[in-house]
Amino acid sequence: MLNVPTILLLDEEQLMREATALLLTNRGAKVTKTATLDEALAELGHRTYDVAVIDLSNSSPKCVEILQRMRSHGNVPHRVIVTTSQPLPRHESADLTDVIVKPYPFERLLDAVFGARSSRRAAPRSGIFPLVRRITASRRTAQARRGRV
């Protein structure tokens, strides 16, 4: 069985939450989407996650406060990645796996969640269609097809 990473996604903005979840799901992760900190804490009470991706907006609580509330509810994911519009002070980012400053390319987020690009594809894919492997066989001659060999 494959090891499928579980990701808790906390993003207040619905469009970005959906796009990020789709991107992570297309990479093979199981994503739980939440819009508020209270929803995220309720999910943490039910299960353990490998990664938490938290989008901090200007109205969001401070990162330190979010981590403290996660700890008080039990399960803090092994890796916590924060996306924010401004760099965080060193004391706030000490317990985080990564801090990504907006705007960022999605490849940057994928690298932070899944690790460095060890197997980068030569050409970008849309993620909608699966890869198709062409199966090649030795070609038979026209005479062989007609049974004259």
Side-chain angles (χ1 to χ4, degrees):
M1 183 161 173
L2 296 173
N3 184 14
V4 177
T6 55
I7 300 173
L8 177 64
L9 175 63
L10 170 59
D11 194 336
E12 294 173 349
E13 191 176 330
Q14 181 184 6
L15 182 62
M16 286 304 294
R17 183 174 58 247
E18 295 297 327
T20 305
L22 181 63
L23 178 77
L24 296 171
T25 302
N26 284 343
R27 270 297 180 99
K30 183 170 169 95
V31 180
T32 302
K33 303 175 283 189
T34 58
T36 65
L37 180 57
D38 291 331
E39 287 178 26
L41 294 174
E43 289 295 329
L44 283 172
H46 298 305
R47 65 183 298 189
T48 302
Y49 291 90
D50 299 315
V51 181
V53 177
I54 302 170
D55 179 71
L56 293 180
S57 64
N58 294 335
S59 63
S60 299
K62 289 193 171 203
C63 193
V64 174
E65 180 184 330
I66 291 173
L67 288 175
Q68 286 174 348
R69 289 187 63 187
M70 284 181 165
R71 283 189 188 105
S72 69
H73 274 70
N75 299 330
V76 176
H78 302 297
R79 299 172 54 206
V80 178
I81 299 164
V82 172
T83 61
T84 180
S85 57
Q86 299 175 12
L88 294 176
R90 188 175 302 263
H91 70 278
E92 284 191 40
S93 62
D95 293 334
L96 303 175
T97 304
D98 206 345
V99 177
I100 303 172
V101 179
K102 300 178 209 174
Y104 58 88
F106 278 129
E107 282 294 324
R108 174 76 174 89
L109 179 64
L110 292 174
D111 287 347
V113 171
F114 296 105
R117 283 178 244 154
S118 58
S119 60
R120 185 171 183 184
R121 295 179 188 94
R125 290 186 10 199
S126 68
I128 297 171
F129 303 105
L131 283 177
V132 177
R133 192 179 106 195
R134 182 176 178 184
I135 300 173
T136 58
S138 59
R139 293 183 168 245
R140 297 185 295 174
T141 63
Q143 288 180 346
R145 281 192 298 244
R146 288 185 233 145
R148 297 184 192 165
V149 176

